[in-house]
Amino acid sequence: MCGIVGYIGEKDSTPIILNGLKRLEYRGYDSAGLAVLDNGQIEIRRDAGKLSQLEALVSDTPIHGKIGIGHTRWATHGEPNARNAHPHIGSTGEFVVVHNGIVENFLALREELSAEGTEFKSETDTETIVHLVEKFFASGSSLEDAVRKTLKHLKGAHGIVVMSSREPDKIVAARVGNAGGVVIGLGEGENFVASDLPAILEHTRRAVFLESHQMAVIGRDRVKLSDIAGNPVTLHVQNIAWDPVAAEKGAYRHFMQKEIHEQVRSLTDTLAGRVDFDEGRVMLNDLNLSTEKARKIKKIIITACGTAAHAGMVGKILIERIARVPVEVAIASEFRYAEPLVDEDTVVLAISQSGETADTLAAMEEGRSRGALLWSNVNAIGSQAMRIADGCIAMQVGPEIGVASTKAFTAPLLDLYLLAVYLADLRRVIDPDQRFGLVNDLMGIPALVGTCLDREEAVLGMARRFKNTRHMLYLGRGINMPIAYEGALKLKEISYIHAEGYPAGEMKHGPIALIDKAMPVVALAPDDPWYDKMISQIEQALARGGEVIALATDGDERIPELTEHILWVPATPWLLSPVVTSIPLQLFAYHIASLLGLDVDQPRNLAKSVTVE
Ligand code: F6R
């Protein structure tokens, strides 16, 4: 996950930035860099690899200055080397930029700028930003306005921090969407900027969080906030508690809410370094998979518990449809007692955010003892499930503290999609056009999730309306059936409301008897191949006097005729729709539990890591 730190004041910015980057080290990175203004000149040091390499470089060739910006990177465009590391500098050497997010239209921008004579020094999307800022500055704008104009040209979600020797008394920062936050730390005669609070907490407890579409001009003694259109915005200063855990929570009431909002970033990071959008390729190097081995696989058994098993159910559809490999989903607590049919041409793939779930580890051991190839999709780096596997896809979500899993649910959905495309490529079951199409569909996903998050207020309204219900039924079909299970699990575990997830087609075989006014039905009816079937399920529930909350795609005209309770989601390629449909259901469960005044982050009887059978 990328991290940003910046400083302006009277002290030497280099150690402050390096220390700040160290605080973000737990997020992992593949390269790092910093730029300072040294006697009116921008000086940059960048290197691939761990932060210690950058520290060694800075110690060999020191740079000092009272204003500077730094970055740790996970590659999205261009391999992780020193040239592609941030900060990126413009052609005149007077502007530098660090950036979190993906410039979705960077190819078009790069072509445009190249046609105007700009020479690119890296393969990154970020470099387009610094050239745009430089161009607008050259045509007479202030640094602030040049950044503002640049933002209007960028597609996607971004956190951006810019510095220039032409206006050496400020740092300009901006946030668009949810590709990570931008927080400003206020000091005495000095100010800080970072992507995450821990990077600046040792210096100040007074913080201002930028909302989406806001920007800040940060001077030594003054911070000016505005929206992207240029309208002034009042600074809302928050005093952060000393408790480092509370500090991590930032502007959110609960970790769960924070983690739900972190998904644009976690999904961006999930793609980073693994997807080459230019080549239309996926690389999962840590699976240690040769083409020969990939072609030998006869079956994949995904094993997991709870939320992770729901991700596995989506994965089954993805891998079977895209890579044409048969997949079974085995609940981990059952697997070792089931005499499973496993041999050396079988892969056992365990999904686990903690990597320490006793049942999942036992299922992996069962697979190992029967000769299977073992893979894991794990969030906790160094956990048992990662250590014992032959290959791993590490989730890129950072620590998840809320007991109810949210960002560690959507990340594996993308991981499994990547796996499906990777396997399909190695096994030569898709042609290049299909591969490009599948990879291209990924690019917009973080932004679509951001759109869902921007609609939180509407979900809160729905939560207010239904918070006192005692039972709820969640229905879905096809690729969104597991999302119905997951939506129900989220609700029951944190709100203690009885909720059932059910395959919608099974309703008529029994559960339909339950439907009445006291049993609202959440029906997942996005624009996917099962849409028409879901419409008839909604009609059936309504015919029995049920109240239906429908999840529908923007522009749907049939659903508003059936129900007034609608959670809208943006149009999404259907194989990726579960990533998007999960978001309103997570928010719905969260807000109901929060409105009921419950302990959202630590619900009763549950633990974050279930290390007993
Ligand atoms: C629900 C939840 C649990 C876990 C399950 C497996 O929100 O978090 O259902 O998904 O206990 O945990 P991991 O992923 O750590 O193996």
Side-chain angles (χ1 to χ4, degrees), residues 38 59 87 115 120 210 224 238 318 332 341 366 403 431 439 470 475 482 491-492 501 520 582 585 594 604:
D38 193 354
S59 133
F120 280 80
L210 288 199
K224 191 181 91 178
Q238 302 200 26
L318 294 173
L341 300 175
E366 182 68 27
V403 163
D431 60 38
V439 166
R470 289 316 306 147
L475 301 179
L491 185 68
K492 75 179 106 179
S582 300
L585 300 188
S594 172
R604 68 187 184 206

Side-chain angles (χ1 to χ4, degrees), residues 29-50:
Y29 50 80
D30 54 38
S31 47
L34 85 160
V36 302
L37 255 176
D38 193 354
N39 281 327
Q41 297 284 327
I42 290 178
E43 288 285 344
I44 298 191
R45 297 288 180 273
R46 303 183 293 187
D47 210 346
K50 286 188 174 283

Side-chain angles (χ1 to χ4, degrees), residues 279-347:
E279 296 289 321
R281 276 236 141 79
V282 170
M283 291 136 313
L284 296 174
N285 297 338
D286 292 340
L287 273 189
N288 304 317
L289 189 61
S290 62
T291 307
E292 196 194 2
K293 247 201 255 175
R295 292 191 183 156
K296 256 186 79 197
I297 297 169
K298 297 260 163 33
K299 177 169 77 173
I300 297 175
I301 301 179
I302 299 180
T303 187
C305 304
T307 287
H310 297 152
M313 291 176 192
V314 175
K316 171 182 164 70
I317 297 176
L318 294 173
I319 295 169
E320 290 189 339
R321 293 263 176 156
I322 299 172
R324 314 303 300 164
V325 183
V327 181
E328 288 170 21
V329 180
I331 297 298
S333 53
E334 294 294 331
F335 188 65
R336 63 188 180 284
Y337 306 113
E339 299 268 325
L341 300 175
V342 172
D343 60 21
E344 58 277 11
D345 295 332
T346 307
V347 173

